[in-house]
Amino acid sequence: MFDPASIPPIGTPTSPATAKGKKSSLDAMLHNAPAETTLGIFFGKILMGLIIWGCISALLFAVLSVVGGMIDTSGTTTALWPLLALIGFVAWMLGNMWLALLYNLFFSKRYYSLQQMLGLIFTSSILIAVICFFLYLLPFPGGITTLFTILGVQILFSFFITANLLEFLAQPNYSASSLLGTTFGFILSMVIFMSFTLSIQSDEINNQIFKFMLVPTIVGYTVLIAGSEAWNAIYYKLFQRGNNPFYLKSPSELSKEELLAEQIKEKEKEEVNVDM
C-alpha cells in the first residue's frame, strides 16, 4: 500500500493549522488511492474477456448458420449492411453487459454500481449504433470488405467506450488516468485489427467472414483490457512513490480546500496580532 514516508517533504509547517491542512490533504490522498492491479486482477479480467468472447462466438455462429447463405450469395451490400448493423448492436451490447456483470460479481468493491453500468452500456450502445448506421450508408470503396471493417471498428469502439464508462464509475477521481490506459489499449487493438483486415484479399472475404467477426472481439476483450490494466499497474507504482499527476479533485474536495485555506489564513492573522 501507499507509504507516506515516500512523499518528498514539502516544507516546514509555519503553524499548527498549516500542519493540520497538510495532514488533511495527505489523508484525502490515501483515502482516494488508485485501484491496485495485481497479477490476479490482470489475468482474471483477461480470462473474463475470453469467456465473453466465447459466448459471443457461439451467438455469431448461430446467426451465421441461419443467414450465412445470404451473405455468401449476395452480390451487393444492400441487404447485408442492416444485418451487420443489427449484429454489431445486439451482440456486443450483450457482451459488454455480461462483462460488467462479471466485473460486479468478482470485483464488487471496485465495480459496485451494476445498475448504472448496465444503463450506461445500453445508452452508449444505442448512440454508437446510430453513428455507425450512417457509416454503413456512406459510399466507401471495397464492398463487403469495407462493411466488415466498419463492423470491426464498431465492435472495438463500443468496447472502448464501455471500458471507459466502467472505470469512470469505479473511480471518478482517476478518470483521466483510466482514459489514458483504455486509449492505449484501443490503439493497440485497432492496429492489430487493421493489420488483419489489410491481409485479407477481397476475393477471400466469403471464406473469412467468421474470422472477420471474431478477430475484433477477441482483440478488444484481451488487448484492450491488457493495455488498460498495464497502465493502471504503472500508475499505481507512480502513486506509491508519491506521484499522483492525474488525480482529479471533486467539487466538494475543492470547496473543502478553499475553506481550509481561509481558516489557515485567519489563524495566521490571529497569531500575528497576538505576537504584536
Side-chain angles (χ1 to χ4, degrees), residues 71-89:
I71 296 177
D72 291 338
T73 59
S74 177
T76 65
T77 61
T78 303
L80 179 58
W81 74 262
L83 174 64
L84 294 183
L86 181 61
I87 291 175
F89 168 68

Side-chain angles (χ1 to χ4, degrees), residues 8-274:
I10 300 175
T12 303
T14 57
S15 68
T18 304
K20 181 180 179 182
K22 291 184 177 181
K23 184 178 184 300
S24 176
S25 178
L26 175 59
D27 291 341
M29 183 179 181
L30 293 171
H31 178 71
N32 293 305
E36 182 179 7
T37 297
T38 63
L39 287 177
I41 293 175
F42 182 85
F43 290 107
K45 283 189 172 183
I46 293 178
L47 178 60
M48 291 177 188
L50 290 174
I51 292 174
I52 300 302
W53 171 72
C55 295
I56 292 180
S57 299
L59 177 62
L60 291 178
F61 181 80
V63 172
L64 291 179
S65 298
V66 176
V67 301
M70 182 191 71
I71 296 177
D72 291 338
T73 59
S74 177
T76 65
T77 61
T78 303
L80 179 58
W81 74 262
L83 174 64
L84 294 183
L86 181 61
I87 291 175
F89 168 68
V90 176
W92 283 275
M93 180 187 67
L94 293 177
N96 293 336
M97 286 184 172
W98 293 338
L99 188 66
L101 178 60
L102 290 178
Y103 278 10
N104 179 258
L105 288 175
F106 293 95
F107 308 114
S108 57
K109 289 185 179 180
R110 182 173 178 180
Y111 305 98
Y112 53 88
S113 183
L114 179 61
Q115 184 176 359
Q116 284 186 307
M117 288 192 294
L118 296 181
L120 287 173
I121 290 173
F122 177 75
T123 304
S124 63
S125 297
I126 292 177
L127 294 177
I128 294 171
V130 171
I131 295 173
C132 292
F133 175 85
F134 292 102
L135 286 179
Y136 285 113
L137 293 176
L138 294 177
F140 290 116
I144 295 178
T145 304
T146 301
L147 290 183
F148 278 98
T149 302
I150 295 175
L151 175 64
V153 173
Q154 178 183 355
I155 295 168
L156 293 175
F157 185 70
S158 175
F159 184 58
F160 168 69
I161 297 298
T162 295
N164 280 307
L165 292 175
L166 297 183
E167 297 302 324
F168 291 175
L169 281 175
Q171 292 194 119
N173 296 112
Y174 291 95
S175 56
S177 176
S178 61
L179 178 61
L180 291 176
T182 53
T183 301
F184 173 67
F186 177 68
I187 292 174
L188 287 179
S189 301
M190 285 296 297
V191 170
I192 294 174
F193 172 67
M194 295 308 296
S195 299
F196 167 78
T197 301
L198 294 175
S199 67
I200 301 298
Q201 303 296 326
S202 59
D203 56 350
E204 299 177 351
I205 183 62
N206 286 340
N207 299 324
Q208 304 291 339
I209 288 177
F210 198 56
K211 289 184 179 179
F212 240 112
M213 288 188 172
L214 294 187
V215 167
T217 311
I218 192 171
V219 168
Y221 285 126
T222 55
V223 176
L224 200 152
I225 290 177
S228 176
E229 290 304 313
W231 167 254
N232 289 339
I234 293 172
Y235 191 82
Y236 189 80
K237 291 297 182 182
L238 293 175
F239 177 81
Q240 287 182 312
R241 287 164 174 76
N243 302 301
N244 202 11
F246 298 117
Y247 180 81
L248 302 178
K249 296 179 181 179
S250 64
S252 60
E253 288 176 304
L254 293 174
S255 299
K256 289 180 181 179
E257 288 187 356
E258 291 177 359
L259 179 60
L260 182 60
E262 290 295 329
Q263 292 176 347
I264 292 174
K265 289 181 180 179
E266 292 295 330
K267 185 67 176 179
E268 290 176 348
K269 286 180 181 180
E270 292 177 1
E271 291 177 352
V272 170
N273 293 333
V274 170

